[in-house]
Every structure is written in C-alpha cells, then in structure tokens.
Amino acid sequence: MSTSSEYATELEIACLTVQRAARVTKSIIAAIEKDDALDKSDNTPVTIADFAAQALIISALHAAFPDDGFIGEETAAVLRQDAQLRDRVWDLVRSAHLDDPDSDSRLAKPDTVEEMLSLIDLGGNGQGGSEGRIWVLDPVDGTSTFMKGQQYVVSLALLENGEQKLGVLGCPNLRLDTPTRGRVRENVVDRDGLGQMIFAVAGQGAYIRPLGPGGLEPASRLPRRDDSELRPSDIRLVDCQASNSTDYEKLSRVAARLGAPWPPVMDIWSSQMRYVALAVDYEVNSQVRIVRRQSHRSSIWDHAGGMLVANEIGCKVTDLHGNAVHCDRGRTLAGSCGIIAAPESVHGDILRVVSEVLAESPSL
C-alpha cells in the first residue's frame, strides 16, 4: 500500500497503536499462564487488559487527531471505585512501549492516572453519529477465549460520516503456518510470536502483516476471493454455537435448504475473528447471523472494521433484509437486524432462503 494513499497517516498510527495494545494484552496472557501471576478465579486479567488497551489506543489517536471522536466498550467507572485495580491498569499503561524508538515516539501515553481515566471515558461515553470522524474500538474482542489463551482481537475502525474508512484487527494468537484451509482455530495459537494483523482501507484492499514488538512489519495484500463459481451447496459457514443471541434453529433450516453443511464448519467465539476467518481461511466463505429477539442489535465495536475487511476481500455484507449495515446510529448497529456476509455469487441465494425462513415464523 502506498504511503501517499488516502488515510495513510491514520492507517500508520492505527496499526502502531493496535500493535502496542496487542503486545500489552499478550503480556497479560503470559501472566495468566503463571500460576501465581494473576487471580484466575474472576475476570481480573481481561479487565486489566481491556482498560489498558483502551487507554493506550485512545491516547495515541487523540493526540494525533484531536478533533476526532471515539466509541469504546469500556468506561472508567469501575477504576474510579477500585484503587487496587486502577493501580494495576496504570502500571501496565505506564510500562507499555514498542521496541523501536521512532515508532514508539509517535504514540502518546497518558501522563497521569486521571488522564488515563479521562481517555478511557472518551470511548466509553462516546455516542457516535452520522457526522465527523469517529474511531470505534474493542480492546479485547473475545473475552472468554482470551482467558483461555485462545483467539481474540484488538479491533479498531475509523468511521467518517458513518462510513467505514479503515479497519485494523490485531490477532495476537493467530498462527498461519498451515495451508489456506483450516488455519483459524481456537486452539491453534501463536505461542512463539505476537500473531498477525489484518487491515483494510475502503477501496484500497485488505492486507496482512505479522504483529511485531517494534516498528511495523512489511505487509502483503490479501487476494480477493475468486468465488464466482460458488453454488449454494458450496457455502461454508463460520459462526459461534455458544452464542445465546443467535437463533440456531432458524439458521439450521437455512443451511439445510441451501444444501450447506450443518453445523457450521468453523466455530469461533470472537465476532471480529469470524471476519478474519473469511479473509484468511478458505475453509469458510460466509457468515449468517439470525438473532433470537427482534429487539437485539449488535454492538458496533463487534463488527466495524471487520465488515470492511470482508468487503475488501470480495464479500457483500448486509443485514437479514438485504439492507446496508449502518454504522451511523450510535453505539449499536441500530438500523440493522442480523448479518449476512458472503461472496456476491451466493449472497442473493442466502438472502432469499433467510427471507423464506423468517416469513415462516416472523419475528424480525
């Protein structure tokens, strides 16, 4: 990708800050694996990782782009009430760095505990909207699998007037030393390195690079998927069967009518990692999310950025009714119900069958 292309500065800062945050979160994983390092009886490790990563990401971006807004999953309310937890997060934030001095110098960090808390709240209190530039982040997408040392994502996306412009997905445990099928698995973990980063800029393609300890590693372009000859029976779904918000009875009927395998051939907890799977693992090619409750709307940080990556590798992303997924309605995808992310050649087939199944027991 040319360094003179549109959003080049934003992309470089975004990639560097995700790399720094990913390194911090992976250090927590290493501590979890030491018996006496962290209390594993509650969610303290992932709580610390969430807060530290959000503070670090927003600090770097707010310093570089002071007029931009933020939407993040966390607020600092818990830290303001728990001094011990606050001190542990502050220690982690204060010690965070990249090994390359030039790269590290480009990323601001909070100077005080109060500044750290205020930066966290910039994201946690952010409301989004249809105007201006807004950074959407999930410091640890996949908290349950993070605690198990499995797959998770440090995700970041830039919205401009409600449109996705860039997305960066840091995958600290993603190991890709196998062929192009069956690469993404919860238990296939990069224990020797820092994983992979997948990123995209609207209209400029999707890319992958190794996550490193210092400056950014060289990136290579991910090919657009050549799925023009796919038939409905060739659909291979990635999903999460442990999700309590997905209607698997309806989804199983969709798969049966398409002639696609059931259950889904890949089961991944992290929402953002499912988009990563579409980009790097040719065992799967589609994601369909039919929600149980009509009122359910997904958090924007679970999909922003990942949807852009899917678009840039040749997938069409809509809601269950074939409408564009809106990112301009605040902290959720309020205008959109469910997700269909699939190659253009079969997206229409999936949409047709989903519509039939929903019509038989209308609730959405």
Side-chain angles (χ1 to χ4, degrees):
M1 177 176 290
S2 171
T3 57
S4 62
S5 61
E6 190 176 14
Y7 299 104
T9 300
E10 289 88 342
L11 180 64
E12 185 174 14
I13 296 296
C15 288
L16 284 171
T17 193
V18 166
Q19 181 156 285
R20 182 176 66 175
R23 185 181 187 187
V24 166
T25 60
K26 190 135 183 176
S27 73
I28 295 289
I29 294 176
I32 292 173
E33 294 174 350
K34 297 178 182 178
D35 290 343
D36 59 350
L38 284 171
D39 182 4
K40 290 174 281 188
S41 65
D42 57 20
N43 285 329
T44 298
V46 73
T47 300
I48 294 172
D50 267 324
F51 282 124
Q54 182 157 318
L56 288 165
I57 291 171
I58 294 178
S59 179
L61 294 170
H62 185 54
F65 312 107
D67 296 328
D68 292 358
F70 297 90
I71 296 177
E73 187 172 7
E74 309 298 336
T75 70
V78 171
L79 297 184
R80 295 183 189 279
Q81 298 169 2
D82 188 332
Q84 184 178 14
L85 183 62
R86 181 176 64 239
D87 290 344
R88 295 173 80 175
V89 174
W90 173 240
D91 287 343
L92 195 60
V93 168
R94 186 170 51 181
S95 63
H97 68 282
L98 294 175
D99 289 350
D100 175 55
D102 289 339
S103 298
D104 192 60
S105 68
R106 302 193 65 188
L107 303 180
K109 288 196 298 186
D111 293 322
T112 65
V113 171
E114 184 55 41
E115 184 185 359
M116 177 187 75
L117 300 177
S118 297
L119 289 166
I120 292 171
D121 279 338
L122 274 183
N125 295 328
Q127 295 303 311
S130 60
E131 297 182 358
R133 297 187 358 151
I134 299 166
W135 295 89
V136 178
L137 65 144
D138 191 341
V140 177
D141 180 64
T143 55
S144 177
T145 42
F146 172 88
M147 289 290 289
K148 298 174 184 177
Q150 298 175 328
Q151 301 301 334
Y152 69 99
V153 178
V154 180
S155 70
L156 179 63
L158 174 62
L159 309 180
E160 190 168 83
N161 301 327
E163 299 289 333
Q164 298 174 92
K165 294 301 181 182
L166 69 83
V168 181
L169 307 178
C171 311
N173 282 343
L174 183 59
R175 194 180 86 204
L176 296 179
D177 55 358
T178 57
T180 57
R181 293 180 181 272
R183 309 171 93 185
V184 180
R185 292 288 186 273
E186 295 287 14
N187 292 316
V188 178
V189 174
D190 185 351
R191 300 195 181 279
D192 300 319
L194 293 173
Q196 301 288 324
M197 175 188 293
I198 289 85
F199 61 96
V201 177
Q204 298 180 36
Y207 294 77
I208 186 169
R209 62 160 53 100
L211 282 165
L216 296 176
E217 299 288 336
S220 56
R221 185 162 185 161
L222 290 167
R224 288 181 65 86
R225 299 189 62 143
D226 182 13
D227 293 318
S228 58
E229 302 300 321
L230 280 185
R231 298 164 299 176
S233 60
D234 295 322
I235 291 167
R236 299 293 183 268
L237 295 171
V238 55
D239 217 300
C240 174
Q241 295 188 77
S243 171
N244 58 15
S245 61
T246 299
D247 191 327
Y248 277 95
E249 191 279 326
K250 288 187 177 70
L251 187 53
S252 68
R253 281 193 273 154
V254 169
R257 294 185 190 186
L258 290 167
W262 186 261
V265 300
M266 185 182 295
D267 195 283
I268 294 291
W269 177 261
S270 161
S271 297
Q272 294 284 6
M273 184 59 72
R274 291 176 223 146
Y275 291 109
V276 170
L278 294 179
V280 303
D281 194 327
Y282 278 47
E283 186 175 39
V284 294
N285 52 39
S286 304
Q287 178 183 180
V288 180
R289 188 159 188 268
I290 302 176
V291 293
R292 293 183 185 275
R293 302 188 314 276
Q294 183 174 1
S295 60
H296 180 87
R297 293 296 182 269
S298 298
S299 298
I300 191 170
W301 49 79
D302 287 337
H303 299 275
M307 292 189 295
L308 179 62
V309 169
N311 287 148
E312 291 297 317
I313 56 96
C315 286
K316 182 177 182 179
V317 182
T318 70
D319 71 3
L320 298 178
H321 305 295
N323 302 314
V325 178
H326 297 286
C327 293
D328 60 354
R329 310 293 174 87
R331 295 177 64 83
T332 68
L333 301 177
S336 304
C337 184
I339 293 285
I340 300 175
E344 292 266 3
S345 57
V346 292
H347 187 281
D349 295 296
I350 296 173
L351 180 60
R352 172 180 52 80
V353 173
V354 166
S355 298
E356 293 172 358
V357 169
L358 293 181
E360 292 167 0
S361 50
S363 61
L364 299 177

